[in-house]
Amino acid sequence: MNVRTPDPNPGWLSEEDLFEARGRLPMVYVEAVPVRLDPLGFVNEVGTLLQADEDGAMIRSLVSGRVIYRETIRAALLRHMEKDLGPLAFPQLPISPVPFTVAEYFPAPSQTGFTDDRQHAVSLAYVIPVTGECEPRQDALELTWMTPEEVLSPGVQLEFSGGRGALIRQALAFAGVGF
């Protein structure tokens, strides 16, 4: 069962070619931690997508997706924010496309702590404020807004797959949220 949102513009590779490439090349991704800010610019809510994995277990995930051939990082971020959160999310993309971290995902557990059973992926990760109304993507059951304390709680951290709980912690530390 495929739980990923079908991409209306699949880009440069067919499903078969993508499968073949994933076995031979690292894939470039963008990931975004959607946040809502208070009037002073401090993070007061973090958005996570709740979905079912291939086994039917409930997991939390982030906005993410591949960078396609000849696409800028900014364009990829905007495309995936709109695809995963809807066209009225109104993401505030950064002036400079410098990520808060680069996460390296491997098909098997490694020293990075990030896993993706499909591939070796290099992901540029961003904290992206959103100001509009968000509707979760087709394969997500809901978009949940939580306070930083809630999203960092041990129970919620266990709901993230592939090491993304660590990515949330890094994102909030980058945004100046400290506990």
Side-chain angles (χ1 to χ4, degrees):
M1 176 173 97
N2 187 354
V3 297
R4 289 170 176 68
T5 303
D7 194 342
N9 178 15
W12 49 285
L13 296 173
S14 68
E15 286 297 319
E16 296 79 25
D17 290 340
L18 179 59
F19 178 79
E20 182 71 23
R22 283 179 166 152
R24 297 174 183 252
L25 302 167
M27 303 302 288
V28 179
Y29 276 71
V30 291
E31 287 187 283
V33 178
V35 296
R36 294 208 187 267
L37 305 176
D38 69 12
L40 294 176
F42 293 105
V43 173
N44 61 9
E45 291 183 309
V46 179
T48 65
L49 296 165
L50 184 66
Q51 63 187 48
D53 67 8
E54 289 86 12
D55 300 325
M58 301 308 293
I59 59 169
R60 293 206 179 272
S61 66
L62 304 172
V63 172
S64 67
R66 281 183 299 138
V67 177
I68 59 176
Y69 182 67
R70 299 184 62 93
E71 181 177 45
T72 65
I73 299 298
R74 292 176 63 78
L77 275 169
L78 183 59
R79 180 170 59 86
H80 290 294
M81 292 293 287
E82 288 180 353
K83 179 178 66 93
D84 288 356
L85 300 180
L88 300 177
F90 301 129
Q92 306 299 304
L93 296 183
I95 293 171
S96 172
V98 176
F100 71 84
T101 195
V102 176
E104 296 178 89
Y105 291 86
F106 292 94
S110 73
Q111 66 273 17
T112 69
F114 297 107
T115 58
D116 183 335
D117 59 353
R118 302 168 300 159
Q119 65 196 337
H120 173 194
V122 176
S123 181
L124 309 173
Y126 298 85
V127 175
I128 306 288
V130 294
T131 59
E133 293 298 318
C134 298
E135 291 292 325
R137 63 187 181 188
Q138 295 171 355
D139 62 327
L141 300 173
E142 69 180 30
L143 170 66
T144 307
W145 290 101
M146 293 181 250
T147 66
E149 296 85 2
E150 290 169 331
V151 79
L152 293 173
S153 70
V156 172
Q157 286 286 299
L158 289 174
E159 295 175 1
F160 287 100
S161 67
R164 286 180 181 86
L167 202 61
I168 289 282
R169 291 191 304 275
Q170 290 176 5
L172 290 174
F174 173 80
V177 176
F179 297 97

PDB file of all heavy atoms in Angstrom, residues 3 14 22 24 26 49 56 70 74 76 85 104 106 111 115 121 133 171:
ATOM      1  N   VAL A   3       1.301   5.067   0.772  1.00  0.00           N
ATOM      2  CA  VAL A   3       0.636   6.096   1.563  1.00  0.00           C
ATOM      3  C   VAL A   3       1.105   7.487   1.193  1.00  0.00           C
ATOM      4  O   VAL A   3       0.712   8.451   1.818  1.00  0.00           O
ATOM      5  CB  VAL A   3       0.839   5.871   3.081  1.00  0.00           C
ATOM      6  CG1 VAL A   3       0.208   4.578   3.516  1.00  0.00           C
ATOM      7  CG2 VAL A   3       2.297   5.933   3.448  1.00  0.00           C
ATOM      8  N   SER A  14      10.094   8.056 -14.367  1.00  0.00           N
ATOM      9  CA  SER A  14       8.929   7.190 -14.180  1.00  0.00           C
ATOM     10  C   SER A  14       9.104   6.453 -12.855  1.00  0.00           C
ATOM     11  O   SER A  14      10.192   6.453 -12.264  1.00  0.00           O
ATOM     12  CB  SER A  14       8.842   6.177 -15.327  1.00  0.00           C
ATOM     13  OG  SER A  14       9.930   5.267 -15.244  1.00  0.00           O
ATOM     14  N   ARG A  22      16.941   5.155  -7.111  1.00  0.00           N
ATOM     15  CA  ARG A  22      17.058   5.099  -5.655  1.00  0.00           C
ATOM     16  C   ARG A  22      18.042   4.016  -5.206  1.00  0.00           C
ATOM     17  O   ARG A  22      18.637   4.126  -4.150  1.00  0.00           O
ATOM     18  CB  ARG A  22      15.693   4.850  -5.020  1.00  0.00           C
ATOM     19  CG  ARG A  22      14.831   6.073  -4.979  1.00  0.00           C
ATOM     20  CD  ARG A  22      13.488   5.784  -4.366  1.00  0.00           C
ATOM     21  NE  ARG A  22      12.812   7.030  -4.048  1.00  0.00           N
ATOM     22  CZ  ARG A  22      11.503   7.166  -4.006  1.00  0.00           C
ATOM     23  NH1 ARG A  22      10.712   6.134  -4.246  1.00  0.00           N
ATOM     24  NH2 ARG A  22      10.970   8.315  -3.709  1.00  0.00           N
ATOM     25  N   ARG A  24      20.789   3.383  -6.740  1.00  0.00           N
ATOM     26  CA  ARG A  24      22.131   3.718  -7.199  1.00  0.00           C
ATOM     27  C   ARG A  24      22.622   5.104  -6.785  1.00  0.00           C
ATOM     28  O   ARG A  24      23.833   5.348  -6.790  1.00  0.00           O
ATOM     29  CB  ARG A  24      22.186   3.649  -8.720  1.00  0.00           C
ATOM     30  CG  ARG A  24      21.924   2.277  -9.266  1.00  0.00           C
ATOM     31  CD  ARG A  24      21.852   2.334 -10.779  1.00  0.00           C
ATOM     32  NE  ARG A  24      21.525   1.032 -11.313  1.00  0.00           N
ATOM     33  CZ  ARG A  24      22.386   0.270 -11.955  1.00  0.00           C
ATOM     34  NH1 ARG A  24      23.611   0.679 -12.154  1.00  0.00           N
ATOM     35  NH2 ARG A  24      22.004  -0.897 -12.402  1.00  0.00           N
ATOM     36  N   PRO A  26      22.085   8.854  -4.263  1.00  0.00           N
ATOM     37  CA  PRO A  26      21.374   9.568  -3.198  1.00  0.00           C
ATOM     38  C   PRO A  26      20.353  10.517  -3.834  1.00  0.00           C
ATOM     39  O   PRO A  26      20.625  11.133  -4.857  1.00  0.00           O
ATOM     40  CB  PRO A  26      22.461  10.374  -2.485  1.00  0.00           C
ATOM     41  CG  PRO A  26      23.757   9.937  -3.054  1.00  0.00           C
ATOM     42  CD  PRO A  26      23.492   9.219  -4.336  1.00  0.00           C
ATOM     43  N   LEU A  49       2.033  16.214  10.445  1.00  0.00           N
ATOM     44  CA  LEU A  49       1.041  15.458   9.687  1.00  0.00           C
ATOM     45  C   LEU A  49       0.895  14.081  10.315  1.00  0.00           C
ATOM     46  O   LEU A  49       1.891  13.407  10.576  1.00  0.00           O
ATOM     47  CB  LEU A  49       1.474  15.336   8.230  1.00  0.00           C
ATOM     48  CG  LEU A  49       1.547  16.659   7.480  1.00  0.00           C
ATOM     49  CD1 LEU A  49       2.323  16.490   6.179  1.00  0.00           C
ATOM     50  CD2 LEU A  49       0.168  17.207   7.225  1.00  0.00           C
ATOM     51  N   GLY A  56      -0.222   0.181   8.657  1.00  0.00           N
ATOM     52  CA  GLY A  56      -1.421   0.702   9.290  1.00  0.00           C
ATOM     53  C   GLY A  56      -1.179   1.373  10.628  1.00  0.00           C
ATOM     54  O   GLY A  56      -2.127   1.828  11.260  1.00  0.00           O
ATOM     55  N   ARG A  70      16.079  20.404 -12.481  1.00  0.00           N
ATOM     56  CA  ARG A  70      15.975  21.801 -12.895  1.00  0.00           C
ATOM     57  C   ARG A  70      15.043  22.628 -12.008  1.00  0.00           C
ATOM     58  O   ARG A  70      14.564  23.686 -12.411  1.00  0.00           O
ATOM     59  CB  ARG A  70      15.573  21.914 -14.366  1.00  0.00           C
ATOM     60  CG  ARG A  70      16.581  21.282 -15.303  1.00  0.00           C
ATOM     61  CD  ARG A  70      16.222  21.480 -16.752  1.00  0.00           C
ATOM     62  NE  ARG A  70      16.200  22.883 -17.118  1.00  0.00           N
ATOM     63  CZ  ARG A  70      17.226  23.560 -17.627  1.00  0.00           C
ATOM     64  NH1 ARG A  70      18.362  22.951 -17.842  1.00  0.00           N
ATOM     65  NH2 ARG A  70      17.096  24.838 -17.935  1.00  0.00           N
ATOM     66  N   ARG A  74      13.959  26.721  -3.468  1.00  0.00           N
ATOM     67  CA  ARG A  74      12.793  27.521  -3.083  1.00  0.00           C
ATOM     68  C   ARG A  74      11.527  27.011  -3.763  1.00  0.00           C
ATOM     69  O   ARG A  74      10.472  26.911  -3.139  1.00  0.00           O
ATOM     70  CB  ARG A  74      13.015  28.996  -3.405  1.00  0.00           C
ATOM     71  CG  ARG A  74      14.079  29.652  -2.541  1.00  0.00           C
ATOM     72  CD  ARG A  74      14.342  31.088  -2.969  1.00  0.00           C
ATOM     73  NE  ARG A  74      13.170  31.942  -2.810  1.00  0.00           N
ATOM     74  CZ  ARG A  74      12.738  32.449  -1.657  1.00  0.00           C
ATOM     75  NH1 ARG A  74      13.393  32.186  -0.554  1.00  0.00           N
ATOM     76  NH2 ARG A  74      11.683  33.216  -1.615  1.00  0.00           N
ATOM     77  N   ALA A  76      10.987  23.976  -4.873  1.00  0.00           N
ATOM     78  CA  ALA A  76      10.649  22.674  -4.292  1.00  0.00           C
ATOM     79  C   ALA A  76       9.958  22.853  -2.943  1.00  0.00           C
ATOM     80  O   ALA A  76       8.961  22.183  -2.654  1.00  0.00           O
ATOM     81  CB  ALA A  76      11.901  21.815  -4.149  1.00  0.00           C
ATOM     82  N   LEU A  85       0.134  21.002   2.596  1.00  0.00           N
ATOM     83  CA  LEU A  85      -0.676  21.818   3.510  1.00  0.00           C
ATOM     84  C   LEU A  85      -1.812  22.553   2.818  1.00  0.00           C
ATOM     85  O   LEU A  85      -2.625  23.186   3.479  1.00  0.00           O
ATOM     86  CB  LEU A  85       0.205  22.840   4.239  1.00  0.00           C
ATOM     87  CG  LEU A  85       1.332  22.270   5.085  1.00  0.00           C
ATOM     88  CD1 LEU A  85       2.113  23.398   5.744  1.00  0.00           C
ATOM     89  CD2 LEU A  85       0.813  21.290   6.114  1.00  0.00           C
ATOM     90  N   GLU A 104      20.839  13.146   6.595  1.00  0.00           N
ATOM     91  CA  GLU A 104      21.193  12.068   5.680  1.00  0.00           C
ATOM     92  C   GLU A 104      20.444  10.806   6.098  1.00  0.00           C
ATOM     93  O   GLU A 104      20.669  10.272   7.173  1.00  0.00           O
ATOM     94  CB  GLU A 104      22.692  11.811   5.719  1.00  0.00           C
ATOM     95  CG  GLU A 104      23.513  12.985   5.220  1.00  0.00           C
ATOM     96  CD  GLU A 104      24.985  12.702   5.315  1.00  0.00           C
ATOM     97  OE1 GLU A 104      25.548  12.156   4.347  1.00  0.00           O
ATOM     98  OE2 GLU A 104      25.558  13.006   6.375  1.00  0.00           O
ATOM     99  N   PHE A 106      19.400   6.823   5.423  1.00  0.00           N
ATOM    100  CA  PHE A 106      19.932   5.590   4.852  1.00  0.00           C
ATOM    101  C   PHE A 106      18.883   4.486   4.969  1.00  0.00           C
ATOM    102  O   PHE A 106      18.041   4.524   5.860  1.00  0.00           O
ATOM    103  CB  PHE A 106      21.224   5.171   5.564  1.00  0.00           C
ATOM    104  CG  PHE A 106      22.363   6.108   5.300  1.00  0.00           C
ATOM    105  CD1 PHE A 106      22.649   7.154   6.168  1.00  0.00           C
ATOM    106  CD2 PHE A 106      23.156   5.955   4.166  1.00  0.00           C
ATOM    107  CE1 PHE A 106      23.696   8.027   5.915  1.00  0.00           C
ATOM    108  CE2 PHE A 106      24.203   6.814   3.902  1.00  0.00           C
ATOM    109  CZ  PHE A 106      24.477   7.860   4.780  1.00  0.00           C
ATOM    110  N   GLN A 111      24.919   5.810  11.595  1.00  0.00           N
ATOM    111  CA  GLN A 111      25.373   6.772  12.594  1.00  0.00           C
ATOM    112  C   GLN A 111      24.566   8.065  12.568  1.00  0.00           C
ATOM    113  O   GLN A 111      24.585   8.824  13.523  1.00  0.00           O
ATOM    114  CB  GLN A 111      26.868   7.054  12.437  1.00  0.00           C
ATOM    115  CG  GLN A 111      27.259   7.746  11.152  1.00  0.00           C
ATOM    116  CD  GLN A 111      27.514   6.802   9.993  1.00  0.00           C
ATOM    117  OE1 GLN A 111      27.115   5.647  10.007  1.00  0.00           O
ATOM    118  NE2 GLN A 111      28.176   7.300   8.976  1.00  0.00           N
ATOM    119  N   THR A 115      16.508   7.182   8.984  1.00  0.00           N
ATOM    120  CA  THR A 115      16.339   6.035   8.092  1.00  0.00           C
ATOM    121  C   THR A 115      15.189   6.273   7.118  1.00  0.00           C
ATOM    122  O   THR A 115      14.211   6.946   7.432  1.00  0.00           O
ATOM    123  CB  THR A 115      16.050   4.739   8.876  1.00  0.00           C
ATOM    124  OG1 THR A 115      14.880   4.928   9.664  1.00  0.00           O
ATOM    125  CG2 THR A 115      17.213   4.343   9.766  1.00  0.00           C
ATOM    126  N   ALA A 121      18.958   9.177   1.038  1.00  0.00           N
ATOM    127  CA  ALA A 121      18.461  10.509   0.704  1.00  0.00           C
ATOM    128  C   ALA A 121      19.210  11.563   1.494  1.00  0.00           C
ATOM    129  O   ALA A 121      19.587  11.346   2.648  1.00  0.00           O
ATOM    130  CB  ALA A 121      16.965  10.608   1.005  1.00  0.00           C
ATOM    131  N   GLU A 133      -4.660  29.240   6.190  1.00  0.00           N
ATOM    132  CA  GLU A 133      -5.423  28.052   6.564  1.00  0.00           C
ATOM    133  C   GLU A 133      -4.795  26.823   5.918  1.00  0.00           C
ATOM    134  O   GLU A 133      -4.542  26.813   4.715  1.00  0.00           O
ATOM    135  CB  GLU A 133      -6.873  28.184   6.106  1.00  0.00           C
ATOM    136  CG  GLU A 133      -7.639  29.283   6.827  1.00  0.00           C
ATOM    137  CD  GLU A 133      -7.744  29.029   8.316  1.00  0.00           C
ATOM    138  OE1 GLU A 133      -7.986  27.870   8.721  1.00  0.00           O
ATOM    139  OE2 GLU A 133      -7.567  29.990   9.089  1.00  0.00           O
ATOM    140  N   ALA A 171      15.076  21.551  14.837  1.00  0.00           N
ATOM    141  CA  ALA A 171      14.359  22.703  14.280  1.00  0.00           C
ATOM    142  C   ALA A 171      13.996  23.692  15.378  1.00  0.00           C
ATOM    143  O   ALA A 171      14.174  24.908  15.212  1.00  0.00           O
ATOM    144  CB  ALA A 171      13.100  22.237  13.553  1.00  0.00           C
TER     145      ALA A 171
END
